[in-house]
Amino acid sequence: MSDRTDGRSDGTSPEESRPSISFVTPRYGADIIGGAEHAARMLAERLVQRGWRVEALTTVAGDIQRWSPGYPEGETTESGVVVMRFKVDKGRDPRFQLLTRPTEFYATSATENEAADYLELQGPVSNELVEAIRESDTDHVAFYPYLYHPAVYGAKTVTDRVVLHPAAHDEAPLYLPMFRELFETAPRIVFHTGAEERLVRSVFRISQARRITLGLGIDPAPENAPDNGAEILGFDPAQPYICAVGRVDTLKGTTMLADFVASYRERHSVKPNLALVGTVAVAPDEKPWLKITGPVSEEEKWAIIKGSSALISPSYYESFSLVMMEAWSVAKPVMVNSRCEPTREHIERSGAGFHFGDYPEFEVGLELLLEQPALASELGTRGQKYVTDNYSWRAVMERYTNFLL
């Protein structure tokens, strides 16, 4: 950092006088689409645009299955954010699910040692990253999400500067004892939805924290974005299709969704195709009407959403669901899993879709969307208004900066 003050009366340099923040995530990069890391990057880049000094402290990990290296170690500047990546000392143990199943099952009664073992086996463990967090000189240190080793151990070193973005779900790890200190000492906590805050307050005592329900801002679809999703997917343009965007994984509900669509096709004359768009962890069985794309470009993602009849969010565990907002931003109706309270809350607040708890509810909702186009259009329009009113980047960033300052 320069010692030059440019004549400031308080002796500080222009660089020192700027508000500053570090974002700590397990991985960071423009090619990571969706999830907490994507949300953190969006906030970081927009704070740069508002004149903040912003750094990202992270690991070299490129995937979440093993936290294998995907980026080189060292410092880069990406969209104005100074990104510092550190080596991973321990990735996700191949036996993680097997070894931690008892700990998750008995999470509320797990010992501190069992919880610490859970974090070590889950990864990513990076001792250099924790040390970099300790040495950071920014006004705030934002941890996004709560779940991983860097947040638990890094926050201990900068307690009074912590801004915790939990991205919490009602999942077993939330109840492990080592997270209590993280939540109950954080001076600032940022939630995606009211449902997430209610969940956290039911588990932890967080009265010490200044809190905000922020959500996320939505990038508009590219101007003149095509709606040739059927062509990209290889579907017959004369047949409707629905899509789910995000990790393809049984735990994200995509296998259930494929099964539900198979049953729907057997029972109805209008037989929709299904596109599962995103990184593949556990794929459903192949079907001629099912397309699993793997990762796609932003342009392809928007084309697939715009060309669809509806977006489906089958996941049990979401803290916000950016892709719901993206679908609504282009006036597409949405259906979500009733067991996911944050996404159900969006549906109930917006009136822009349906939620389903079982196959019969899914069938009724999808039939309405496919066979009543005027209703589908009205729901999409409501969703578009909901996003404009609540999740424009300007509104989100004004709330966030006021919260931090």
PDB file of all heavy atoms in Angstrom, residues 100-116 118 171-178 180 203:
ATOM      1  N   THR A 100     -19.312 -39.730   7.821  1.00  0.00           N
ATOM      2  CA  THR A 100     -20.024 -38.686   8.562  1.00  0.00           C
ATOM      3  C   THR A 100     -21.517 -38.949   8.718  1.00  0.00           C
ATOM      4  O   THR A 100     -22.220 -38.161   9.359  1.00  0.00           O
ATOM      5  CB  THR A 100     -19.845 -37.318   7.871  1.00  0.00           C
ATOM      6  OG1 THR A 100     -20.373 -37.384   6.537  1.00  0.00           O
ATOM      7  CG2 THR A 100     -18.378 -36.919   7.836  1.00  0.00           C
ATOM      8  N   ARG A 101     -21.990 -40.046   8.160  1.00  0.00           N
ATOM      9  CA  ARG A 101     -23.426 -40.334   8.268  1.00  0.00           C
ATOM     10  C   ARG A 101     -23.902 -40.394   9.719  1.00  0.00           C
ATOM     11  O   ARG A 101     -24.932 -39.798  10.065  1.00  0.00           O
ATOM     12  CB  ARG A 101     -23.751 -41.630   7.526  1.00  0.00           C
ATOM     13  CG  ARG A 101     -25.246 -41.850   7.281  1.00  0.00           C
ATOM     14  CD  ARG A 101     -25.465 -43.031   6.355  1.00  0.00           C
ATOM     15  NE  ARG A 101     -24.886 -42.785   5.047  1.00  0.00           N
ATOM     16  CZ  ARG A 101     -24.293 -43.717   4.313  1.00  0.00           C
ATOM     17  NH1 ARG A 101     -24.165 -44.956   4.773  1.00  0.00           N
ATOM     18  NH2 ARG A 101     -23.807 -43.421   3.119  1.00  0.00           N
ATOM     19  N   PRO A 102     -23.197 -41.081  10.616  1.00  0.00           N
ATOM     20  CA  PRO A 102     -23.656 -41.095  12.019  1.00  0.00           C
ATOM     21  C   PRO A 102     -23.648 -39.701  12.648  1.00  0.00           C
ATOM     22  O   PRO A 102     -24.547 -39.360  13.423  1.00  0.00           O
ATOM     23  CB  PRO A 102     -22.646 -42.025  12.713  1.00  0.00           C
ATOM     24  CG  PRO A 102     -22.071 -42.861  11.626  1.00  0.00           C
ATOM     25  CD  PRO A 102     -22.041 -41.966  10.420  1.00  0.00           C
ATOM     26  N   THR A 103     -22.633 -38.882  12.306  1.00  0.00           N
ATOM     27  CA  THR A 103     -22.562 -37.528  12.865  1.00  0.00           C
ATOM     28  C   THR A 103     -23.753 -36.698  12.411  1.00  0.00           C
ATOM     29  O   THR A 103     -24.354 -35.959  13.200  1.00  0.00           O
ATOM     30  CB  THR A 103     -21.251 -36.840  12.440  1.00  0.00           C
ATOM     31  OG1 THR A 103     -20.147 -37.643  12.869  1.00  0.00           O
ATOM     32  CG2 THR A 103     -21.128 -35.460  13.065  1.00  0.00           C
ATOM     33  N   GLU A 104     -24.124 -36.797  11.142  1.00  0.00           N
ATOM     34  CA  GLU A 104     -25.275 -36.053  10.641  1.00  0.00           C
ATOM     35  C   GLU A 104     -26.567 -36.546  11.282  1.00  0.00           C
ATOM     36  O   GLU A 104     -27.450 -35.753  11.618  1.00  0.00           O
ATOM     37  CB  GLU A 104     -25.363 -36.162   9.120  1.00  0.00           C
ATOM     38  CG  GLU A 104     -24.278 -35.388   8.385  1.00  0.00           C
ATOM     39  CD  GLU A 104     -24.557 -35.264   6.897  1.00  0.00           C
ATOM     40  OE1 GLU A 104     -25.408 -36.017   6.391  1.00  0.00           O
ATOM     41  OE2 GLU A 104     -23.926 -34.414   6.243  1.00  0.00           O
ATOM     42  N   PHE A 105     -26.691 -37.865  11.469  1.00  0.00           N
ATOM     43  CA  PHE A 105     -27.916 -38.430  12.017  1.00  0.00           C
ATOM     44  C   PHE A 105     -28.131 -37.964  13.456  1.00  0.00           C
ATOM     45  O   PHE A 105     -29.259 -37.693  13.881  1.00  0.00           O
ATOM     46  CB  PHE A 105     -27.857 -39.963  11.962  1.00  0.00           C
ATOM     47  CG  PHE A 105     -29.177 -40.627  12.244  1.00  0.00           C
ATOM     48  CD1 PHE A 105     -30.166 -40.682  11.277  1.00  0.00           C
ATOM     49  CD2 PHE A 105     -29.437 -41.172  13.493  1.00  0.00           C
ATOM     50  CE1 PHE A 105     -31.389 -41.281  11.541  1.00  0.00           C
ATOM     51  CE2 PHE A 105     -30.650 -41.777  13.767  1.00  0.00           C
ATOM     52  CZ  PHE A 105     -31.631 -41.832  12.789  1.00  0.00           C
ATOM     53  N   TYR A 106     -27.036 -37.865  14.190  1.00  0.00           N
ATOM     54  CA  TYR A 106     -27.109 -37.437  15.595  1.00  0.00           C
ATOM     55  C   TYR A 106     -26.502 -36.038  15.758  1.00  0.00           C
ATOM     56  O   TYR A 106     -25.836 -35.749  16.746  1.00  0.00           O
ATOM     57  CB  TYR A 106     -26.373 -38.431  16.488  1.00  0.00           C
ATOM     58  CG  TYR A 106     -26.961 -39.818  16.471  1.00  0.00           C
ATOM     59  CD1 TYR A 106     -26.335 -40.855  15.789  1.00  0.00           C
ATOM     60  CD2 TYR A 106     -28.163 -40.096  17.134  1.00  0.00           C
ATOM     61  CE1 TYR A 106     -26.882 -42.128  15.767  1.00  0.00           C
ATOM     62  CE2 TYR A 106     -28.714 -41.371  17.117  1.00  0.00           C
ATOM     63  CZ  TYR A 106     -28.070 -42.384  16.434  1.00  0.00           C
ATOM     64  OH  TYR A 106     -28.614 -43.641  16.418  1.00  0.00           O
ATOM     65  N   ALA A 107     -26.757 -35.144  14.806  1.00  0.00           N
ATOM     66  CA  ALA A 107     -26.091 -33.842  14.780  1.00  0.00           C
ATOM     67  C   ALA A 107     -26.315 -33.053  16.063  1.00  0.00           C
ATOM     68  O   ALA A 107     -25.398 -32.405  16.570  1.00  0.00           O
ATOM     69  CB  ALA A 107     -26.560 -33.029  13.578  1.00  0.00           C
ATOM     70  N   THR A 108     -27.520 -33.069  16.597  1.00  0.00           N
ATOM     71  CA  THR A 108     -27.808 -32.249  17.772  1.00  0.00           C
ATOM     72  C   THR A 108     -27.075 -32.728  19.015  1.00  0.00           C
ATOM     73  O   THR A 108     -26.913 -31.958  19.974  1.00  0.00           O
ATOM     74  CB  THR A 108     -29.321 -32.219  18.061  1.00  0.00           C
ATOM     75  OG1 THR A 108     -29.798 -33.572  18.197  1.00  0.00           O
ATOM     76  CG2 THR A 108     -30.075 -31.524  16.934  1.00  0.00           C
ATOM     77  N   SER A 109     -26.615 -33.973  19.013  1.00  0.00           N
ATOM     78  CA  SER A 109     -25.891 -34.493  20.175  1.00  0.00           C
ATOM     79  C   SER A 109     -24.433 -34.801  19.851  1.00  0.00           C
ATOM     80  O   SER A 109     -23.734 -35.424  20.643  1.00  0.00           O
ATOM     81  CB  SER A 109     -26.579 -35.754  20.715  1.00  0.00           C
ATOM     82  OG  SER A 109     -26.671 -36.756  19.707  1.00  0.00           O
ATOM     83  N   ALA A 110     -23.952 -34.376  18.697  1.00  0.00           N
ATOM     84  CA  ALA A 110     -22.558 -34.628  18.313  1.00  0.00           C
ATOM     85  C   ALA A 110     -21.611 -33.883  19.242  1.00  0.00           C
ATOM     86  O   ALA A 110     -21.917 -32.794  19.737  1.00  0.00           O
ATOM     87  CB  ALA A 110     -22.323 -34.194  16.873  1.00  0.00           C
ATOM     88  N   THR A 111     -20.446 -34.467  19.469  1.00  0.00           N
ATOM     89  CA  THR A 111     -19.433 -33.813  20.300  1.00  0.00           C
ATOM     90  C   THR A 111     -18.656 -32.800  19.470  1.00  0.00           C
ATOM     91  O   THR A 111     -18.697 -32.801  18.236  1.00  0.00           O
ATOM     92  CB  THR A 111     -18.461 -34.844  20.879  1.00  0.00           C
ATOM     93  OG1 THR A 111     -17.694 -35.416  19.801  1.00  0.00           O
ATOM     94  CG2 THR A 111     -19.208 -35.955  21.623  1.00  0.00           C
ATOM     95  N   GLU A 112     -17.901 -31.934  20.153  1.00  0.00           N
ATOM     96  CA  GLU A 112     -17.056 -30.967  19.467  1.00  0.00           C
ATOM     97  C   GLU A 112     -16.032 -31.671  18.579  1.00  0.00           C
ATOM     98  O   GLU A 112     -15.748 -31.230  17.461  1.00  0.00           O
ATOM     99  CB  GLU A 112     -16.341 -30.070  20.485  1.00  0.00           C
ATOM    100  CG  GLU A 112     -17.255 -29.133  21.259  1.00  0.00           C
ATOM    101  CD  GLU A 112     -17.721 -27.947  20.429  1.00  0.00           C
ATOM    102  OE1 GLU A 112     -17.199 -27.758  19.314  1.00  0.00           O
ATOM    103  OE2 GLU A 112     -18.614 -27.220  20.899  1.00  0.00           O
ATOM    104  N   ASN A 113     -15.468 -32.778  19.082  1.00  0.00           N
ATOM    105  CA  ASN A 113     -14.472 -33.509  18.296  1.00  0.00           C
ATOM    106  C   ASN A 113     -15.097 -34.126  17.049  1.00  0.00           C
ATOM    107  O   ASN A 113     -14.490 -34.103  15.964  1.00  0.00           O
ATOM    108  CB  ASN A 113     -13.818 -34.603  19.139  1.00  0.00           C
ATOM    109  CG  ASN A 113     -12.852 -34.043  20.161  1.00  0.00           C
ATOM    110  OD1 ASN A 113     -12.359 -32.921  20.012  1.00  0.00           O
ATOM    111  ND2 ASN A 113     -12.565 -34.812  21.207  1.00  0.00           N
ATOM    112  N   GLU A 114     -16.288 -34.676  17.187  1.00  0.00           N
ATOM    113  CA  GLU A 114     -16.972 -35.253  16.022  1.00  0.00           C
ATOM    114  C   GLU A 114     -17.290 -34.172  14.994  1.00  0.00           C
ATOM    115  O   GLU A 114     -17.153 -34.386  13.781  1.00  0.00           O
ATOM    116  CB  GLU A 114     -18.254 -35.957  16.467  1.00  0.00           C
ATOM    117  CG  GLU A 114     -18.014 -37.256  17.217  1.00  0.00           C
ATOM    118  CD  GLU A 114     -19.264 -37.796  17.875  1.00  0.00           C
ATOM    119  OE1 GLU A 114     -20.198 -37.003  18.132  1.00  0.00           O
ATOM    120  OE2 GLU A 114     -19.305 -39.019  18.144  1.00  0.00           O
ATOM    121  N   ALA A 115     -17.698 -33.010  15.470  1.00  0.00           N
ATOM    122  CA  ALA A 115     -18.005 -31.901  14.556  1.00  0.00           C
ATOM    123  C   ALA A 115     -16.742 -31.413  13.854  1.00  0.00           C
ATOM    124  O   ALA A 115     -16.758 -31.118  12.649  1.00  0.00           O
ATOM    125  CB  ALA A 115     -18.656 -30.762  15.331  1.00  0.00           C
ATOM    126  N   ALA A 116     -15.636 -31.319  14.601  1.00  0.00           N
ATOM    127  CA  ALA A 116     -14.375 -30.890  13.991  1.00  0.00           C
ATOM    128  C   ALA A 116     -13.919 -31.885  12.935  1.00  0.00           C
ATOM    129  O   ALA A 116     -13.431 -31.491  11.860  1.00  0.00           O
ATOM    130  CB  ALA A 116     -13.305 -30.739  15.066  1.00  0.00           C
ATOM    131  N   TYR A 118     -15.870 -33.714  11.168  1.00  0.00           N
ATOM    132  CA  TYR A 118     -16.782 -33.513  10.044  1.00  0.00           C
ATOM    133  C   TYR A 118     -16.244 -32.421   9.114  1.00  0.00           C
ATOM    134  O   TYR A 118     -16.189 -32.594   7.891  1.00  0.00           O
ATOM    135  CB  TYR A 118     -18.161 -33.130  10.571  1.00  0.00           C
ATOM    136  CG  TYR A 118     -19.224 -32.980   9.508  1.00  0.00           C
ATOM    137  CD1 TYR A 118     -20.092 -34.019   9.220  1.00  0.00           C
ATOM    138  CD2 TYR A 118     -19.373 -31.785   8.787  1.00  0.00           C
ATOM    139  CE1 TYR A 118     -21.084 -33.880   8.242  1.00  0.00           C
ATOM    140  CE2 TYR A 118     -20.341 -31.637   7.818  1.00  0.00           C
ATOM    141  CZ  TYR A 118     -21.197 -32.699   7.557  1.00  0.00           C
ATOM    142  OH  TYR A 118     -22.156 -32.555   6.576  1.00  0.00           O
ATOM    143  N   GLU A 171     -30.719 -28.358   7.219  1.00  0.00           N
ATOM    144  CA  GLU A 171     -29.952 -29.566   6.938  1.00  0.00           C
ATOM    145  C   GLU A 171     -29.181 -29.967   8.183  1.00  0.00           C
ATOM    146  O   GLU A 171     -28.904 -29.138   9.065  1.00  0.00           O
ATOM    147  CB  GLU A 171     -28.989 -29.315   5.776  1.00  0.00           C
ATOM    148  CG  GLU A 171     -28.071 -28.132   6.010  1.00  0.00           C
ATOM    149  CD  GLU A 171     -27.285 -27.712   4.780  1.00  0.00           C
ATOM    150  OE1 GLU A 171     -27.304 -28.458   3.788  1.00  0.00           O
ATOM    151  OE2 GLU A 171     -26.642 -26.654   4.814  1.00  0.00           O
ATOM    152  N   ALA A 172     -28.803 -31.237   8.262  1.00  0.00           N
ATOM    153  CA  ALA A 172     -28.179 -31.764   9.474  1.00  0.00           C
ATOM    154  C   ALA A 172     -26.960 -30.979   9.940  1.00  0.00           C
ATOM    155  O   ALA A 172     -26.824 -30.698  11.139  1.00  0.00           O
ATOM    156  CB  ALA A 172     -27.821 -33.234   9.263  1.00  0.00           C
ATOM    157  N   PRO A 173     -26.023 -30.585   9.064  1.00  0.00           N
ATOM    158  CA  PRO A 173     -24.830 -29.892   9.549  1.00  0.00           C
ATOM    159  C   PRO A 173     -25.114 -28.616  10.329  1.00  0.00           C
ATOM    160  O   PRO A 173     -24.334 -28.236  11.209  1.00  0.00           O
ATOM    161  CB  PRO A 173     -24.043 -29.594   8.268  1.00  0.00           C
ATOM    162  CG  PRO A 173     -24.488 -30.625   7.302  1.00  0.00           C
ATOM    163  CD  PRO A 173     -25.941 -30.855   7.618  1.00  0.00           C
ATOM    164  N   LEU A 174     -26.235 -27.949  10.032  1.00  0.00           N
ATOM    165  CA  LEU A 174     -26.550 -26.699  10.728  1.00  0.00           C
ATOM    166  C   LEU A 174     -26.603 -26.903  12.240  1.00  0.00           C
ATOM    167  O   LEU A 174     -26.350 -25.962  13.011  1.00  0.00           O
ATOM    168  CB  LEU A 174     -27.889 -26.151  10.223  1.00  0.00           C
ATOM    169  CG  LEU A 174     -28.348 -24.801  10.785  1.00  0.00           C
ATOM    170  CD1 LEU A 174     -27.420 -23.679  10.337  1.00  0.00           C
ATOM    171  CD2 LEU A 174     -29.788 -24.508  10.347  1.00  0.00           C
ATOM    172  N   TYR A 175     -26.921 -28.110  12.676  1.00  0.00           N
ATOM    173  CA  TYR A 175     -27.120 -28.387  14.098  1.00  0.00           C
ATOM    174  C   TYR A 175     -25.840 -28.874  14.790  1.00  0.00           C
ATOM    175  O   TYR A 175     -25.877 -29.191  15.981  1.00  0.00           O
ATOM    176  CB  TYR A 175     -28.239 -29.411  14.257  1.00  0.00           C
ATOM    177  CG  TYR A 175     -29.556 -28.912  13.698  1.00  0.00           C
ATOM    178  CD1 TYR A 175     -29.883 -29.125  12.361  1.00  0.00           C
ATOM    179  CD2 TYR A 175     -30.444 -28.192  14.483  1.00  0.00           C
ATOM    180  CE1 TYR A 175     -31.070 -28.640  11.824  1.00  0.00           C
ATOM    181  CE2 TYR A 175     -31.637 -27.710  13.958  1.00  0.00           C
ATOM    182  CZ  TYR A 175     -31.941 -27.940  12.624  1.00  0.00           C
ATOM    183  OH  TYR A 175     -33.114 -27.441  12.103  1.00  0.00           O
ATOM    184  N   LEU A 176     -24.733 -28.938  14.067  1.00  0.00           N
ATOM    185  CA  LEU A 176     -23.477 -29.363  14.680  1.00  0.00           C
ATOM    186  C   LEU A 176     -22.953 -28.265  15.608  1.00  0.00           C
ATOM    187  O   LEU A 176     -23.093 -27.074  15.310  1.00  0.00           O
ATOM    188  CB  LEU A 176     -22.449 -29.702  13.605  1.00  0.00           C
ATOM    189  CG  LEU A 176     -22.759 -30.942  12.758  1.00  0.00           C
ATOM    190  CD1 LEU A 176     -21.754 -31.072  11.608  1.00  0.00           C
ATOM    191  CD2 LEU A 176     -22.739 -32.212  13.606  1.00  0.00           C
ATOM    192  N   PRO A 177     -22.306 -28.638  16.705  1.00  0.00           N
ATOM    193  CA  PRO A 177     -21.981 -27.646  17.747  1.00  0.00           C
ATOM    194  C   PRO A 177     -20.982 -26.579  17.341  1.00  0.00           C
ATOM    195  O   PRO A 177     -21.017 -25.467  17.884  1.00  0.00           O
ATOM    196  CB  PRO A 177     -21.437 -28.507  18.895  1.00  0.00           C
ATOM    197  CG  PRO A 177     -21.002 -29.788  18.266  1.00  0.00           C
ATOM    198  CD  PRO A 177     -21.953 -30.006  17.126  1.00  0.00           C
ATOM    199  N   MET A 178     -20.084 -26.862  16.376  1.00  0.00           N
ATOM    200  CA  MET A 178     -19.044 -25.854  16.090  1.00  0.00           C
ATOM    201  C   MET A 178     -19.609 -24.633  15.379  1.00  0.00           C
ATOM    202  O   MET A 178     -18.948 -23.595  15.291  1.00  0.00           O
ATOM    203  CB  MET A 178     -17.902 -26.454  15.255  1.00  0.00           C
ATOM    204  CG  MET A 178     -18.217 -26.678  13.800  1.00  0.00           C
ATOM    205  SD  MET A 178     -19.220 -28.138  13.595  1.00  0.00           S
ATOM    206  CE  MET A 178     -19.053 -28.454  11.851  1.00  0.00           C
ATOM    207  N   ARG A 180     -22.301 -23.010  16.418  1.00  0.00           N
ATOM    208  CA  ARG A 180     -22.935 -22.129  17.388  1.00  0.00           C
ATOM    209  C   ARG A 180     -22.110 -20.862  17.609  1.00  0.00           C
ATOM    210  O   ARG A 180     -22.642 -19.749  17.597  1.00  0.00           O
ATOM    211  CB  ARG A 180     -23.147 -22.870  18.710  1.00  0.00           C
ATOM    212  CG  ARG A 180     -23.911 -22.044  19.739  1.00  0.00           C
ATOM    213  CD  ARG A 180     -24.386 -22.905  20.896  1.00  0.00           C
ATOM    214  NE  ARG A 180     -25.275 -23.965  20.431  1.00  0.00           N
ATOM    215  CZ  ARG A 180     -26.556 -23.798  20.140  1.00  0.00           C
ATOM    216  NH1 ARG A 180     -27.096 -22.595  20.265  1.00  0.00           N
ATOM    217  NH2 ARG A 180     -27.293 -24.809  19.721  1.00  0.00           N
ATOM    218  N   VAL A 203     -32.557 -22.022  15.751  1.00  0.00           N
ATOM    219  CA  VAL A 203     -31.434 -22.879  16.140  1.00  0.00           C
ATOM    220  C   VAL A 203     -30.446 -22.152  17.040  1.00  0.00           C
ATOM    221  O   VAL A 203     -29.896 -22.737  17.979  1.00  0.00           O
ATOM    222  CB  VAL A 203     -30.706 -23.416  14.876  1.00  0.00           C
ATOM    223  CG1 VAL A 203     -29.522 -24.307  15.265  1.00  0.00           C
ATOM    224  CG2 VAL A 203     -31.677 -24.184  13.981  1.00  0.00           C
TER     225      VAL A 203
END
